[in-house]
Amino acid sequence: MLDITVAVVPVAGLGTRLLPATKSQPKEMLPVGRRPVVQYVVEELTEAGIERVLFVTGRGKTSIENHFDTDFELIQSLRESGKEERLAELEFERARVQYFYTRQRETLGLGHAVLCARPFVGAAPFVVALGDSILGLDRRSTVVRRMVECFVEKRAAAVVAFERVPRSEVRHYGIARPQGGGDVFEVADVVE
């Protein structure tokens, strides 16, 4: 079976739909519970067997890089102040995954952000996970793993996860028309 071990996580967007919260804080770093959104994304990727994550960043996104770095000063401070139990909350720092970063120098959209990853991924298959979209809390989602399995089993050119949205929200999303029924289907048409 083909192993897909690389993920590209575009995080260069401006977050304009969430202003003013995103004026000085990347939307991917906004907290859900006690963790930033992007941490949930990376946790699901690692659960699906991803070993290397390339973040496609942009201006003002250094907090994402800082978040996934090991913070030895914080660790030392927690130990010295008797707060060792808090170290478990930093478990993600020790995940067996390598982080890489490249910059999308112009905000030219998602397709361009993924294209910025070409020198990193080459011709190998890879996962694209949006840095501001949680698929499952606490690593319970199996969407990424199921997509990889579908890619391999069907020998697909690409596999895309879709979500049903209310008709009133359609204008905010790219919309696909399925060809056939069921959980897995070919796409008959897409409107962005």
Side-chain angles (χ1 to χ4, degrees):
M1 181 167 154
L2 176 69
D3 283 333
I4 298 177
T5 60
V6 175
V8 175
V9 182
V11 292
L14 299 174
T16 55
R17 284 187 287 205
L18 296 174
L19 284 169
T22 55
K23 183 177 182 290
S24 62
Q25 174 77 10
K27 66 182 174 181
E28 300 85 3
M29 292 300 293
L30 293 175
V32 174
R34 294 174 53 154
R35 291 184 254 172
V37 171
V38 72
Q39 185 176 331
Y40 289 100
V41 173
V42 169
E43 287 172 351
E44 178 166 2
L45 291 171
T46 58
E47 285 294 313
I50 297 299
E51 298 170 358
R52 297 185 306 148
V53 175
L54 172 68
F55 292 97
V56 181
T57 69
R59 175 177 229 151
K61 303 290 183 150
T62 55
S63 61
I64 295 170
E65 294 181 38
N66 292 339
H67 182 73
F68 289 102
D69 276 348
T70 302
D71 188 337
F72 295 107
E73 292 168 351
L74 176 59
I75 292 168
Q76 185 65 28
S77 174
L78 290 172
R79 285 189 174 137
E80 289 174 358
S81 63
K83 298 179 181 175
E84 293 241 357
E85 72 281 355
R86 304 297 304 263
L87 291 174
E89 296 172 26
L90 301 176
E91 177 187 0
F92 69 93
E93 287 184 343
R94 296 179 296 282
R96 294 180 57 147
V97 62
Q98 294 178 297
Y99 301 106
F100 301 88
Y101 304 88
T102 192
R103 185 110 178 215
Q104 183 183 19
R105 293 169 53 191
E106 295 179 77
T107 51
L108 298 175
L110 178 58
H112 181 262
V114 174
L115 192 58
C116 289
R118 179 182 267 164
F120 183 77
V121 298
F126 60 97
V127 171
V128 174
L130 303 182
D132 62 352
S133 297
I134 298 174
L135 298 176
L137 298 177
D138 296 322
R139 304 179 196 152
R140 288 188 297 245
S141 174
T142 60
V143 173
V144 173
R145 186 175 304 280
R146 289 176 31 224
M147 290 174 68
V148 169
E149 290 169 358
C150 183
F151 177 83
V152 172
E153 289 169 13
K154 304 281 184 187
R155 297 184 176 158
V159 175
V160 180
F162 290 99
E163 175 185 18
R164 289 187 185 274
V165 296
R167 186 170 290 283
S168 62
E169 297 294 314
V170 164
R171 63 187 174 91
H172 298 294
Y173 297 92
I175 301 296
R177 184 170 41 129
Q179 181 174 314
D183 260 5
V184 177
F185 55 84
E186 288 190 28
V187 174
D189 193 16
V190 175
V191 177
E192 178 60 41

